[in-house]
Amino acid sequence: MLLLLRRVLPSSPPSPRALLARPLLLLPPPKTLAPAAARCLAAMASASAGATMTREAFRAAVTNTLERRLFFVPSFKIYGGVAGLYDYGPPGCAVKANVLAFWRQHFVLEEGMLEVDCPCVTPEVVLKASGHVEKFTDLMVKDEKTGNCYRADHLLKDFCKEKLERDSTLPPEKAEEFNRILAILDDLSAEQLGAKIKEYGIVAPDTKNPLSDPYPFNLMFQTCIGPSGLSPGYMRPETAQGIFVNFRDLYRYNGERLPFAAAQIGQAFRNEISPRQGLLRVREFTLAEIEHFVDPEDKSHPKFGDVSDLEFLMFPREKQLAGRSATRLKLGEAVSEGTVNNETLGYFIGRVYLFLTRLGIDKDRLRFRQHLPNEMAHYAADCWDAEIECSYGWIECVGIADRSAYDLRAHSDKSGVPLEAHEKFAEPREVEKLVIAPSKKELGLAFKGNQKMILEALEAMSETEALDLKVALESKGEVEFKVCTLGKDVTIKKNMVTINVEKKKEHQRKFTPSVIEPSFGIGRIIYCLFEHCFYQRHGKADDEQLNVFGFPPLVAPIKCTVFPLVKIEKFDVVAKKISKALTAAGISHIIDMTGNTIGKRYARTDEIGVPLAITVDSTTSVTVRDRDSKDQIRVEVDEVASVVKEVTDGQSTWADIMWRYPTHTTSAADEEAAEP
């Protein structure tokens, strides 16, 4: 019997976190199976109705299988390992390579993006301009006696979840309070987090010692560039800055046309306070990021109609703050009603949904959550996270943000190099232009060595800021003016700057483009994919469970296996011939000529997610077995490579293939179960 982690939903949907508190029901895998398998599963569904598995037991089954079959293992294991660092083994590397290949196909190729590859080591000046040196922090608390460090929000989150899941005497009003805290956790300030930790008596989980007040900890790994130690740098915490600093060259390469997108896949580094949850929170990881540059006055998208009819779980901030659950919304309506800020942001939300579901992520355990006010940077127009539910709860795997023009402006200001685009007019236009004219003489007399920084700050004002300053100067004669590069306010007098609106003829419009940024945590996506594709089925013995990864062929680490039924020379010759044809067709495969029973070999390859198995039991035709249904067909030796390619490339489904070839009756050997 096939068993898969699924959830049974009540007639009225509970909150996501209430769902997580419930036991998991083991039911059949999703609807992607062949019709014969689906019919078989329907007949067996009632037999599994009483089988339950806790989240922890399910997670242990998945993780044990992944580590035993070398999908991934802790790094430096023979030395005791290092928290937050993992090595991918052969099948894990293959899954990762397949995910990244599909990412390139789905985004870079289909959207005509410009791919770049930038260094991991980044000079400090770049990350100062971006704000990472000052603000790339998490709130940390320390054990006041041992000095052990913990993330403050994680401790509060764990406390609330523990109470909701295990305290059967919890009053309804207290449960509502804890659910609300979980809903707005990312919106809490350091002071609010500290107050809640004290209110609930939360202590260090290992020692039960009291904790310090929360304080910010910068997550970047610092280094020095060159032997002198005079050029500080950091291991990049994201790949995006390499794209932003190359904007001018990319814009020229693209023929000075907007919109366009640049993409990058690479390693990023974050010195996590308390890494946990396996691949979900690590210190070195792979990011795939897109920076889509667009005119801030026109954020429509010509292909939005391709995704506007998609309907999926969305979790707007209003529902979160009200303590309600995510609901299914049609993407076109979400954009037209203003829930999603603009078409380009909506288009990428839709494309991310298609990417994840085609990989094999369960659409019923995928939602798009809008950032709460305190999560979102002041300059951002709108931000959404693609969150995937797994045994750890809802995990942010992709961020899709409209970052406005902040990044390019920040690097323009710091570097002195204008990172701008332009729109040429067919005819000159008369426009009203705001002219800011600081007086160098007066600023020099008043501020001496700080003159340049104050002059630059005045010239960098937005139109609204400049007009407000003009009004204040005209009414008061002087005003306090904040200069970020000085880190303080200065007094600006009326004779120090002239601000006027003048009419001018312009032949083009210069502007700083806005940026729509989808950012993909590849390791998190892969781990969630592992859980969504894992299931167990009964072996030959009553108490035996066989593990299966039901990967779609698109991401399966190996597409098929070749087994001579018995170890005799004529079957070995045919197996080698088929292997050669598969290699020529570009199909990854393994050939197993060991003397193990065919049942053992099937079980071993099912456990690493191989979709198809070819068994050589004749010199003219072979059987091809589907992993999930265990159905088999007979195919001529000369045709088998093309049949496998047809299925693994997605040109045909297994159900399509079964109509065209005779069914092979399953022997008892195929059902024989044994541990690999």
Side-chain angles (χ1 to χ4, degrees):
M1 176 168 35
L2 302 180
L3 300 174
L4 178 67
L5 174 68
R6 305 286 281 172
R7 296 195 178 280
V8 176
L9 300 178
S11 54
S12 58
S15 71
R17 290 176 177 86
L19 262 178
L20 294 177
R22 300 186 177 186
L24 307 177
L25 187 61
L26 296 173
L27 292 176
K31 329 166 202 27
T32 52
L33 300 175
R39 287 194 298 272
C40 175
L41 289 171
M44 295 187 294
S46 60
S48 67
T52 60
M53 181 186 283
T54 65
R55 291 182 306 169
E56 292 76 12
F58 174 78
R59 185 189 309 143
V62 175
T63 303
N64 290 343
T65 306
L66 290 169
E67 292 196 16
R68 181 165 47 81
R69 298 313 305 267
L70 211 58
F71 280 85
F72 70 86
V73 292
S75 299
F76 318 112
K77 188 165 67 171
I78 63 172
Y79 290 100
V82 177
L85 297 177
Y86 289 89
D87 298 334
Y88 285 89
C93 280
V95 170
K96 182 178 177 181
N98 292 337
V99 168
L100 291 176
F102 181 55
W103 189 89
R104 279 194 171 96
Q105 171 67 39
H106 187 78
F107 291 107
V108 179
L109 296 181
E110 291 187 23
E111 303 294 340
M113 295 177 179
L114 310 179
E115 187 170 1
V116 299
D117 188 0
C118 305
C120 292
V121 178
T122 306
E124 182 180 59
V125 65
V126 174
L127 294 167
K128 273 190 172 180
S130 67
H132 284 83
V133 171
E134 182 184 356
K135 297 178 180 177
F136 194 67
T137 59
D138 277 338
L139 291 171
M140 182 168 79
V141 291
K142 273 189 177 180
D143 183 318
E144 292 188 341
K145 293 184 179 178
T146 68
N148 289 343
C149 300
Y150 307 93
R151 262 188 63 169
D153 59 332
H154 284 176
L155 294 182
L156 181 56
K157 179 181 181 181
D158 291 347
F159 175 85
C160 292
K161 288 175 70 174
E162 178 84 8
K163 286 289 186 182
L164 288 167
E165 292 174 13
R166 303 190 181 218
D167 189 346
S168 58
T169 64
L170 198 65
E173 60 274 12
K174 209 66 180 172
E176 185 179 343
E177 177 186 334
F178 290 149
N179 275 316
R180 177 168 172 74
I181 289 171
L182 290 171
I184 63 168
L185 187 64
D186 292 327
D187 207 30
L188 298 179
S189 66
E191 293 74 19
Q192 290 169 322
L193 267 175
K196 287 297 178 188
I197 286 172
K198 286 181 180 175
E199 179 185 342
Y200 297 144
I202 297 173
V203 294
D206 304 320
T207 63
K208 309 306 178 188
N209 292 329
L211 296 166
S212 69
D213 291 332
Y215 63 95
F217 171 76
N218 194 290
L219 299 177
M220 291 193 294
F221 285 100
Q222 190 166 16
T223 186
C224 290
I225 302 172
S228 69
L230 300 177
S231 180
Y234 295 89
M235 303 303 291
R236 65 183 180 191
E238 62 182 27
T239 67
Q241 302 308 317
I243 297 175
F244 295 139
V245 299
N246 282 308
F247 170 78
R248 190 166 65 160
D249 291 331
L250 291 167
Y251 180 58
R252 288 173 181 165
Y253 181 87
N254 199 53
E256 298 189 342
R257 290 175 290 113
L258 282 183
F260 78 89
Q264 182 170 194
I265 297 170
Q267 295 302 99
F269 307 83
R270 298 181 185 178
N271 195 12
E272 292 286 351
I273 295 167
S274 50
R276 57 182 190 170
Q277 300 178 339
L279 294 179
L280 297 180
R281 191 165 296 280
V282 293
R283 287 174 164 144
E284 179 180 351
F285 51 95
T286 302
L287 282 179
E289 295 191 298
I290 296 164
E291 309 302 331
H292 181 90
F293 300 100
V294 63
D295 187 335
E297 294 183 5
D298 181 12
K299 293 182 181 178
S300 61
H301 198 288
K303 293 165 65 178
F304 180 68
D306 295 350
V307 299
S308 61
D309 288 335
L310 292 174
E311 186 175 281
F312 44 80
L313 284 173
M314 300 189 77
F315 204 8
R317 65 172 66 95
E318 292 77 15
K319 288 185 179 292
Q320 297 172 58
L321 294 171
R324 296 162 64 192
S325 301
T327 54
R328 293 193 176 278
L329 296 176
K330 192 169 279 190
L331 185 56
E333 293 174 5
V335 171
S336 64
E337 293 170 2
T339 304
V340 175
N341 184 269
N342 58 77
E343 278 191 5
T344 298
L345 184 65
Y347 178 72
F348 279 106
I349 289 174
R351 290 290 289 165
V352 168
Y353 171 81
L354 293 173
F355 170 74
L356 294 173
T357 52
R358 288 172 185 171
L359 280 182
I361 296 299
D362 182 352
K363 63 182 177 61
D364 294 326
R365 289 192 280 160
L366 168 65
R367 72 182 185 191
F368 288 81
R369 186 186 69 84
Q370 190 175 30
H371 279 203
L372 296 170
N374 199 45
E375 289 180 87
M376 202 162 69
H378 67 278
Y379 52 78
D382 197 7
C383 301
W384 293 76
D385 288 338
E387 296 184 333
I388 303 172
E389 188 189 27
C390 68
S391 63
Y392 290 104
W394 288 98
I395 303 298
E396 171 200 342
C397 293
V398 186
I400 312 112
D402 182 338
R403 296 176 59 83
S404 300
Y406 171 81
D407 301 282
L408 294 182
R409 281 197 181 123
H411 287 299
S412 292
D413 293 345
K414 192 71 173 176
S415 67
V417 177
L419 301 177
E420 297 176 332
H422 59 263
E423 176 194 5
K424 291 183 178 178
F425 303 141
E427 296 290 336
R429 296 180 184 177
E430 187 171 87
V431 297
E432 289 188 340
K433 194 80 173 178
L434 185 73
V435 179
I436 302 171
S439 170
K440 292 183 181 179
K441 179 182 175 182
E442 297 298 333
L443 290 173
L445 288 171
F447 302 111
K448 298 183 171 49
N450 292 329
Q451 178 218 46
K452 184 181 178 185
M453 285 185 279
I454 296 168
L455 185 144
E456 289 173 347
L458 288 167
E459 290 179 335
M461 285 188 295
S462 68
E463 183 172 337
T464 302
E465 290 170 333
L467 291 174
D468 289 345
L469 182 65
K470 177 181 172 69
V471 170
L473 287 173
E474 288 175 352
S475 63
K476 300 177 183 176
E478 64 180 43
V479 68
E480 293 299 302
F481 179 71
K482 186 175 180 64
V483 181
C484 293
T485 48
L486 283 177
K488 64 179 183 179
D489 291 350
V490 298
T491 302
I492 299 294
K493 297 183 178 179
K494 192 173 182 179
N495 64 339
M496 294 178 181
V497 61
T498 304
I499 302 169
N500 290 313
V501 177
E502 299 177 0
K503 288 188 176 181
K504 289 187 174 183
K505 281 195 173 181
E506 288 191 343
H507 297 269
Q508 65 177 6
R509 175 175 71 97
K510 288 187 178 180
F511 59 92
T512 305
S514 286
V515 176
I516 311 294
E517 180 191 72
S519 177
F520 299 73
I522 298 301
R524 290 185 172 196
I525 293 170
I526 288 172
Y527 179 77
C528 291
L529 182 66
F530 288 153
E531 282 206 9
H532 285 207
C533 290
F534 181 83
Y535 63 96
Q536 293 179 322
R537 57 185 169 205
H538 287 314
K540 190 175 182 181
D542 290 341
D543 60 349
E544 185 177 30
Q545 295 291 322
L546 300 180
N547 301 322
V548 183
F549 278 109
F551 298 124
L554 176 71
V555 296
I558 297 163
K559 306 305 181 190
C560 78
T561 51
V562 183
F563 302 142
L565 183 62
V566 291
K567 191 167 177 56
I568 57 177
E569 185 178 354
K570 64 179 182 178
F571 287 175
D572 288 354
V573 169
V574 174
K576 289 175 181 177
K577 178 182 177 182
I578 292 171
S579 176
K580 189 173 181 180
L582 292 169
T583 300
I587 300 167
S588 62
H589 64 282
I590 51 177
I591 182 167
D592 186 347
M593 295 185 176
T594 63
N596 288 332
T597 65
I598 198 69
K600 289 182 180 180
R601 284 182 279 177
Y602 282 150
R604 188 163 55 226
T605 56
D606 289 347
E607 197 172 45
I608 59 170
V610 182
L612 300 174
I614 300 167
T615 303
V616 180
D617 55 2
S618 138
T619 57
T620 57
S621 67
V622 294
T623 67
V624 181
R625 171 190 180 266
D626 173 64
R627 173 198 59 218
D628 294 316
S629 66
K630 299 198 288 183
D631 289 337
Q632 298 185 41
I633 56 172
R634 290 212 70 85
V635 181
E636 295 297 312
V637 169
D638 292 337
E639 288 184 71
V640 70
S642 63
V643 169
V644 171
K645 186 169 180 63
E646 199 175 321
V647 174
T648 57
D649 282 359
Q651 300 167 26
S652 299
T653 65
W654 176 253
D656 297 331
I657 297 295
M658 285 195 70
W659 280 102
R660 290 165 29 200
Y661 292 92
T663 301
H664 176 78
T665 304
T666 304
S667 67
D670 184 42
E671 298 301 324
E672 182 181 341
E675 283 296 323

